[in-house]
């Protein structure tokens, strides 16, 4: 859905965000009024100066009026300053509030929303589109109000001073309006093409920079270079078209303005020569200024309406996200201060979409302090169990209990504080190791982090890095190996002191040395707490109190390693013989 430039309901909604800043909002309007009055007053004072004091050669009166004109100019300058400053300040405060509200709303979405919403689109809505909303106030609404007020006041003074000369100007205005409208339409098409080419270029460059390793491995440098030249050429042509339209329009607008001024001077000059008392030299002097004040806003108003329209379109996109309620996570009322760790799934059914059910009536019991392992083929539903326990998604039917309390009854924040997860694909922020471990939690001190690192055997590894705990791992932790990232993730989970620990294939793609460290860390952090391990490595599975075997969304077997491995033609035995036995060999 595309917003219109004057979508009344949308515009009213945007204006609601000005309520906390009412004084500034009305202040901007007040300065717009004063700016228009002072701007129109200067040419009028010029007329009075020429007719009343320069022509009669009154030096004292001339000095007095020049002083008044200086004061008016000063007031106009101050009005201009406060008008522009407050309008932009108001716009920035409004988008600050909208952006904060938008980000908070996005944080409340279920994971299902992020499965379908492109990341780039959400970033654009949170940054570029919201910045465009600010231009409604800084370059659109108030500028249009100011220009219209200035034109009205200027026309009032012009009619008051000389209505005959004013009609010449008014007759020329429709021509400029018509030319401006044509220019606006052409520029809309041209800018749309520019935006498309910019998007194409951004996409191309981002993909090639991200995949530079593939480009160079397969000797694609020259091919990609030629493709980029082609895209860049299209981008260049699109911009040249906008330059062409500007080069045509503004000279035409200047010619219309100059011709109008010439007609005024010619008409007024003949009347002065004929001795007409209704036209004076002061009129001609002042009209040279009035015509510029009248025509310049008129030719620029199309651009300001475009700014308004683009701001409204951007606001519509942002409000679409703010109005998304069906994907917001429901919240409970109970605060989970600490869990014993009893977990129970009762006939849980779940699907990511309407076409395929992922979990088909799961019944699962985990006792407090137990370590269970979940195994099965890819797509069996192992990770889905973890996602549902953390309420990343809502189940279709059934119930999940922790310590005999339905997890829907807990506040989300308190529920997730009691559950720590170490994923296979560890995400680290572009920050220090210390901040990635604590996630900027002020309740976790550096001393606690170091002590925890020593307990699980990670401290020595961290101290070998430049800067130790202050080492910046860069975006997504690219400065660390996958094994090192896993160790940081284990320490992150440990310092949070969870009641329930989840390891989701946390040792599936690391080197032997890192695995030994992680096995030691696993033994330490699983002590005294309920642990759920989704694993591909034999050592973790064999040490589990119970193994849950899943296939196609159902639990097909459960028991200890020894019990399951001796079960003839069992699913786990087949899995063990085909996948795990090689590790023993």
């Amino acid at each position: 859905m595309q917003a219109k430039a004057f979508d009344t309901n949308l515009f009213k909604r945007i204006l609601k965000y000005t309520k906390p800043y009412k004084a500034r909002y009305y202040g901007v309007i007040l300065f717009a009024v004063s700016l228009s009055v002072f701007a129109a007053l200067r040419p009028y004072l010029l007329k009075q100066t020429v007719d009343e004091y320069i022509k009669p050669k009154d030096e004292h009166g001339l000095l007095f009026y020049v002083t008044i004109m200086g004061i008016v100019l000063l007031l106009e300058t101050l009005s201009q300053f406060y008008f522009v400053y407050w309008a932009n300040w108001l716009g920035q405060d409004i988008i600050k509030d909208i952006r904060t509200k938008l980000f908070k709303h996005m944080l409340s979405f279920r994971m299902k929303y992020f499965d379908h919403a492109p990341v780039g689109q959400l970033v654009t809505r949170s940054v570029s589109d919201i910045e465009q909303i600010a231009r409604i106030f800084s370059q659109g609404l108030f500028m249009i109000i100011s220009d219209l007020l200035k034109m009205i006041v200027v026309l009032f003074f012009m009619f008051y001073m000389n209505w005959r000369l004013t009609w010449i100007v008014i007759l020329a205005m429709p021509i400029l309006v018509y030319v401006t409208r044509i220019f606006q339409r052409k520029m809309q098409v041209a800018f749309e093409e520019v935006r498309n080419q910019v998007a194409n270029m951004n996409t191309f460059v981002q993909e090639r920079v991200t995949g530079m390793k593939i480009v160079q491995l397969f000797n694609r440098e020259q091919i990609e270079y030629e493709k980029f030249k082609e895209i860049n050429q299209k981008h260049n042509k699109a911009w040249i078209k906008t330059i062409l339209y500007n080069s045509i329009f503004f000279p035409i607008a200047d010619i219309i303005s100059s011709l109008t001024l010439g007609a005024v001077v010619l008409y007024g000059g003949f009347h002065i020569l004929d001795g007409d008392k209704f036209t004076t030299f002061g009129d001609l002097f002042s009209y040279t200024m009035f015509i510029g004040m009248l025509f310049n806003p008129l030719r620029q108003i199309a651009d300001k309406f475009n700014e308004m329209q683009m701001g409204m379109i951007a606001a519509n996109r942002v409000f679409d996200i703010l109005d998304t309620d069906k994907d917001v996570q429901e919240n409970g009322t109970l605060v989970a201060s600490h869990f014993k760790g009893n977990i129970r799934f009762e006939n849980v059914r779940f699907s990511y979409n309407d076409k395929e059910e992922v979990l088909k009536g799961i019944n699962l019991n985990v006792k407090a302090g137990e370590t269970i392992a979940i195994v099965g083929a890819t797509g069996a539903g192992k990770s889905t169990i973890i996602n549902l326990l953390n309420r990343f998604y809502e189940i279709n039917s059934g119930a999940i209990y922790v310590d005999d309390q339905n997890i829907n009854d807990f506040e989300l924040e308190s529920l997730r504080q009691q559950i720590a997860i170490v994923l296979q694909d560890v995400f680290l922020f572009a920050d220090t190791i210390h901040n990635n471990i604590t996630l900027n939690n002020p309740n976790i001190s550096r001393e606690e982090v170091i002590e925890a690192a020593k307990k699980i055997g990670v401290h020595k590894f961290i101290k070998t890095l430049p800067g130790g705990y202050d080492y910046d791992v860069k975006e997504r932790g690219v400065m660390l190996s996958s094994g090192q990232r896993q160790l940081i993730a284990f320490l992150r989970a440990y310092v949070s002191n969870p009641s329930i620990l989840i390891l989701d294939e946390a040792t599936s793609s690391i080197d032997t040395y890192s695995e030994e460290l992680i096995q030691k860390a696993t033994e330490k952090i699983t002590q005294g707490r309920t642990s759920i391990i989704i694993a591909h490595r034999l050592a973790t599975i064999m040490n589990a109190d119970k193994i849950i075997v899943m296939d196609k969304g159902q639990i097909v077997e459960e028991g200890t390693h020894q019990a399951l491995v001796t079960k003839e033609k069992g699913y786990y035995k087949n899995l063990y013989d085909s996948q795990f036995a090689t590790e023993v060999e």
Side-chain angles (χ1 to χ4, degrees):
M1 175 181 163
Q2 186 174 0
K4 297 178 181 179
F6 291 101
D7 186 332
T8 308
N9 293 330
L10 183 61
F11 190 66
K12 287 180 179 177
R13 185 172 181 181
I14 295 170
L15 288 181
K16 286 181 180 179
Y17 286 91
T18 64
K19 285 184 177 180
Y21 315 103
K22 276 187 176 179
R24 207 183 312 157
Y25 175 78
Y26 290 117
V28 173
I29 295 176
L30 178 63
F31 284 122
V33 173
S34 62
L35 177 61
S36 61
V37 172
F38 290 134
L41 192 57
R42 280 193 297 110
Y44 177 75
L45 291 174
L46 178 63
K47 166 191 163 55
Q48 295 297 106
T49 304
V50 171
D51 291 340
E52 301 295 332
Y53 300 104
I54 293 179
K55 190 176 179 182
K57 299 181 180 180
D58 184 346
E59 295 180 1
H60 295 290
L62 175 62
L63 183 61
F64 175 72
Y65 255 73
V66 169
T67 303
I68 293 177
M69 289 175 64
I71 294 171
V72 170
L73 178 61
L74 177 63
L75 292 174
E76 181 187 353
T77 303
L78 289 173
S79 298
Q80 177 81 15
F81 168 77
Y82 282 108
F83 170 73
V84 173
Y85 181 74
W86 280 25
N88 281 272
W89 184 15
L90 177 64
Q92 289 301 316
D93 276 347
I94 288 171
I95 66 169
K96 176 200 67 178
D97 295 344
I98 296 176
R99 185 181 285 122
T100 301
K101 184 177 180 180
L102 177 66
F103 189 73
K104 184 179 180 181
H105 193 65
M106 284 164 50
L107 289 174
S108 69
F109 285 151
R110 297 188 184 105
M111 203 58 63
K112 183 178 181 180
Y113 179 86
F114 299 102
D115 291 341
H116 298 93
V119 175
Q121 185 185 85
L122 294 178
V123 172
T124 301
R125 299 292 178 269
S126 304
V127 182
S128 302
D129 283 342
I130 289 185
E131 286 294 338
Q132 190 65 46
I133 294 174
R135 297 178 72 83
I136 292 177
F137 299 95
S138 62
Q139 301 295 326
L141 174 65
F142 292 126
M143 287 294 181
I144 291 172
I145 291 174
S146 176
D147 286 345
L148 289 176
L149 283 172
K150 188 182 293 184
M151 290 169 67
I152 291 170
V153 176
V154 164
L155 282 172
F156 171 80
F157 272 98
M158 290 172 72
F159 270 110
Y160 175 74
M161 289 164 50
N162 193 316
W163 62 268
R164 294 181 180 87
L165 296 181
T166 304
W167 275 112
I168 297 174
V169 179
I170 289 177
L171 290 173
M173 287 176 66
I175 301 173
L176 183 59
V177 171
Y178 177 71
V179 172
T180 301
R181 185 58 183 161
I182 294 175
F183 169 73
Q184 180 189 13
R185 290 174 179 171
K186 293 290 185 182
M187 287 299 288
Q188 281 180 333
V189 175
F191 273 126
E192 188 64 37
E193 178 64 20
V194 168
R195 283 191 290 269
N196 290 336
Q197 294 304 327
V198 168
N200 292 339
M201 181 176 289
N202 287 342
T203 302
F204 184 88
V205 173
Q206 181 182 356
E207 286 184 349
R208 270 58 185 182
V209 171
T210 304
M212 187 59 71
K213 195 171 185 178
I214 299 298
V215 171
Q216 294 185 356
L217 278 172
F218 289 88
N219 297 316
R220 298 273 302 178
E221 292 94 335
Q222 187 61 33
I223 296 173
E224 301 301 336
Y225 170 68
E226 294 298 332
K227 284 185 178 179
F228 178 78
K229 280 176 62 178
E230 182 180 345
I231 294 172
N232 196 29
Q233 182 65 27
K234 290 180 179 178
H235 175 263
N236 177 258
K237 286 181 178 179
W239 270 112
I240 287 175
K241 191 178 290 185
T242 67
I243 294 169
L244 174 64
Y245 292 147
N246 277 298
S247 301
I248 294 173
F249 169 74
F250 287 105
I252 290 177
D254 287 338
I255 288 171
I256 294 172
S257 178
S258 298
L259 289 175
T260 304
L261 178 59
V264 166
V265 172
L266 186 64
Y267 179 84
F270 276 123
H271 276 265
I272 292 173
L273 294 176
D274 289 341
D276 185 357
K277 295 180 180 180
F278 293 102
T279 303
T280 66
F281 284 107
D283 289 335
L284 298 184
F285 273 101
S286 60
Y287 268 68
T288 59
M289 297 176 66
F290 276 137
I291 289 172
M293 289 181 178
L294 200 61
F295 278 28
N296 286 339
L298 193 61
R299 70 181 189 180
Q300 293 172 4
I301 207 164
D303 288 336
K304 290 163 186 175
F305 271 113
N306 281 342
E307 292 288 351
M308 280 281 289
Q309 187 178 42
M310 294 306 298
M312 298 288 277
I313 292 170
N316 193 63
R317 290 171 179 166
V318 171
F319 289 148
D320 275 346
I321 299 178
L322 286 172
D323 292 338
T324 303
D325 293 326
K326 63 184 178 67
D327 290 311
V328 174
Q329 302 173 106
E330 299 172 7
N331 212 344
T333 56
L334 297 179
V335 177
S337 57
H338 181 73
F339 288 144
K340 293 179 182 177
N342 294 297
I343 302 171
R344 188 169 82 253
F345 281 63
E346 287 189 357
N347 197 30
V348 173
R349 292 182 175 273
F350 172 77
S351 58
Y352 290 102
N353 53 59
D354 298 333
K355 297 180 180 179
E356 184 180 3
E357 196 172 43
V358 178
L359 296 185
K360 305 170 183 177
I362 292 292
N363 290 290
L364 173 64
N365 278 288
V366 182
K367 296 179 181 178
E370 271 191 334
T371 297
I372 71 164
I374 304 178
V375 299
T378 301
K382 306 184 297 295
S383 296
T384 300
I385 288 179
I386 308 308
N387 290 334
L388 297 182
L389 182 61
N390 280 277
R391 288 192 61 199
F392 290 144
Y393 302 87
E394 299 298 326
I395 61 178
N396 297 347
S397 62
I400 303 174
Y401 299 90
V402 175
D403 293 347
D404 297 321
Q405 186 71 50
N406 194 310
I407 61 172
N408 290 333
D409 297 334
F410 292 112
E411 289 183 356
L412 270 174
E413 183 179 355
S414 66
L415 172 69
R416 291 173 181 169
Q417 280 180 343
Q418 298 303 316
I419 303 173
I421 304 181
V422 180
L423 300 171
Q424 177 184 0
D425 183 18
V426 177
F427 187 94
L428 297 181
F429 296 95
D431 206 335
T432 64
I433 284 182
H434 176 266
N435 289 341
N436 269 290
I437 293 168
T438 64
L439 296 178
N440 295 304
N441 185 343
N443 298 321
I444 303 175
S445 67
R446 180 175 287 258
E447 291 72 24
E448 289 176 312
V449 172
I450 294 174
E451 185 63 27
K454 289 178 179 177
K455 285 182 180 178
I456 66 173
V458 183
H459 178 70
K460 289 183 179 178
F461 141 65
I462 295 176
K463 293 301 290 182
T464 61
L465 299 172
Y469 288 87
D470 294 317
Y471 181 61
D472 191 342
V473 299
K474 304 301 180 184
E475 186 177 358
R476 298 184 67 89
V478 294
M479 302 303 292
L480 302 177
S481 68
S482 59
Q484 290 172 329
R485 290 196 293 270
Q486 288 288 1
L487 290 170
I488 299 301
F490 267 79
L491 185 52
R492 175 195 288 172
Y494 186 56
V495 298
S496 67
N497 193 28
S499 303
I500 298 170
L501 176 69
I502 298 170
L503 307 179
D504 189 355
E505 301 185 6
T507 60
S508 61
S509 59
I510 58 175
D511 56 84
T512 305
Y513 173 72
S514 296
E515 184 181 3
E516 290 176 359
L517 289 176
I518 288 176
Q519 290 299 340
K520 292 177 183 178
T522 303
E523 292 174 7
K524 183 66 180 177
I525 67 176
T526 55
Q527 289 177 4
R529 57 172 57 92
T530 304
S531 303
I532 301 174
I533 303 172
I534 298 174
H536 286 158
R537 298 296 179 102
L538 177 63
T540 309
I541 296 173
M542 290 180 66
N543 293 332
D545 297 317
K546 183 168 59 176
I547 297 173
I548 306 297
V549 185
M550 295 190 66
D551 183 40
K552 297 177 181 178
Q554 294 179 316
I555 296 176
V556 293
E557 291 177 345
E558 61 179 279
T560 64
H561 169 73
Q562 292 298 330
L564 294 175
V565 81
T566 57
K567 187 177 181 180
E568 289 296 329
K569 297 183 180 180
Y571 190 98
Y572 179 79
K573 179 174 173 53
N574 291 334
L575 190 66
Y576 174 80
D577 290 340
S578 62
Q579 183 175 344
F580 299 137
T582 54
E583 295 184 33
V584 177
E585 295 173 2

